Amino acid sequence: MEIVIVQHKDEAAKIAADIVESYVREGKTLGLATGSTPLGTYQELIRRHREQDLSFRDCQAFLLDEYVGLPRSHEQTYYQTIRREFTSHIDIDDAQVHSPDGTAEHPGEAARAYDRSIGDAGGVDIQILGIGSDGHIGFNEPTSSLQSRTRIKTLHPDTVRDNARFFDDDESKVPHHVMTQGIGTIGEARHLLLLAFGENKAEAIAAMVEGPVSAMCPASALQMHEHVTVIVDTAAASGLKHTQYYNYALENKPTWQAF
Ligand code: F6R
């Protein structure tokens, strides 16, 4: 894992945008997360699209997850959220922005079909990830199989509480079920780019980077992946004990630029 610790999340957004841009310029397949964490990166990519001719026309995108039971027209579906926050502001073909179908009559079949569609597209080249305060990635809550595939999961009450801010601070409005890419599915993306900001992510980041690989911290599965970049602000990095290993540079260039 390459761990990059920055002072401020604006700096993280620029580095993340640099990384994603290199894939966009080659028309690669993007894996997108929702939630607050990637918003700065999306805004920076939108700015580069407007001001620097960064074109997404040859890209396609796959979302990590979706609430089960909300109609697609609901403003808090991830289908709507990613369009509002990102993809409607760039020139990606809307038909190429894919997400799990949280309204499917046969969710198990829809989940398997989603996995197949990622494979049929040749897999995800760069996957943007946030992390839950309990160490979840996608909506793979603790105890999720580290080899899991796209499927229905029940959200932990803490995650429901965390996400109530998007539902008028009313936990009763937050769906309790989601369809999420599995940890095995996420792990097939060729490059994982995980961002985390703020002190409430510090424990999860420490467990992910320095703890044992364990289903109790689903993000710890990233330790088994061959190409992971983690960008955190100092607050999210505050639980790390071994920072002497991080922020290393090759020929005076941070490694995300050197390779
Ligand atoms: C969202 C997702 C989740 C979030 C995580 C952090 O698509 O997959 O894993 O990344 O819950 O959420 P924020 O960024 O809102 O703190």
Side-chain angles (χ1 to χ4, degrees), residues 19-67:
I19 293 170
V20 176
E21 175 174 345
S22 65
Y23 289 92
V24 172
R25 292 214 179 268
E26 297 198 351
K28 299 287 192 185
T29 298
L30 314 177
L32 303 179
T34 45
S36 328
T37 306
L39 291 180
T41 305
Y42 294 153
Q43 281 154 16
E44 177 62 14
L45 289 166
I46 292 166
R47 189 190 68 74
R48 293 180 191 194
H49 166 66
R50 290 186 178 146
E51 297 173 14
Q52 296 170 8
D53 287 335
L54 178 64
S55 175
F56 295 74
R57 82 175 80 81
D58 296 328
C59 295
Q60 54 180 322
F62 287 88
L63 265 66
L64 281 173
D65 38 23
E66 181 59 280
Y67 289 115

Side-chain angles (χ1 to χ4, degrees), residues 39-195:
L39 291 180
T41 305
Y42 294 153
Q43 281 154 16
E44 177 62 14
L45 289 166
I46 292 166
R47 189 190 68 74
R48 293 180 191 194
H49 166 66
R50 290 186 178 146
E51 297 173 14
Q52 296 170 8
D53 287 335
L54 178 64
S55 175
F56 295 74
R57 82 175 80 81
D58 296 328
C59 295
Q60 54 180 322
F62 287 88
L63 265 66
L64 281 173
D65 38 23
E66 181 59 280
Y67 289 115
V68 168
L70 293 184
R72 274 207 161 157
S73 56
H74 192 292
E75 61 171 5
Q76 290 308 334
T77 56
Y78 288 166
Y79 175 92
Q80 293 290 344
T81 302
I82 201 68
R83 284 165 173 76
R84 186 171 61 247
E85 306 288 1
F86 186 35
T87 59
S88 69
H89 306 284
I90 55 174
D91 60 347
I92 194 166
D93 177 357
D94 189 60
Q96 297 300 332
V97 181
H98 312 281
S99 49
D101 182 0
T103 64
E105 201 180 325
H106 301 291
E109 180 43 44
R112 286 187 288 279
Y114 191 64
D115 257 10
R116 279 196 302 276
S117 67
I118 297 173
D120 291 347
V124 167
D125 292 295
I126 176 76
Q127 174 66 57
I128 299 172
L129 295 169
I131 184 170
S133 53
D134 61 1
H136 70 234
I137 51 170
F139 274 132
N140 297 283
E141 297 282 32
T143 75
S144 291
S145 157
L146 301 185
Q147 300 212 38
S148 47
R149 313 298 306 175
T150 301
R151 69 217 182 289
I152 301 287
K153 285 293 288 179
T154 307
L155 293 180
H156 189 278
D158 289 349
T159 307
V160 171
R161 203 169 307 126
D162 278 352
N163 287 5
R165 68 191 193 279
F166 299 114
F167 292 84
D168 309 321
D169 280 323
D170 182 349
E171 283 178 38
S172 70
K173 291 186 181 167
V174 184
H176 287 220
H177 293 94
V178 288
M179 190 181 294
T180 180
Q181 284 188 35
I183 300 173
T185 319
I186 294 169
E188 284 167 6
R190 286 178 269 280
H191 184 177
L192 304 179
L193 171 59
L194 185 140
L195 307 171

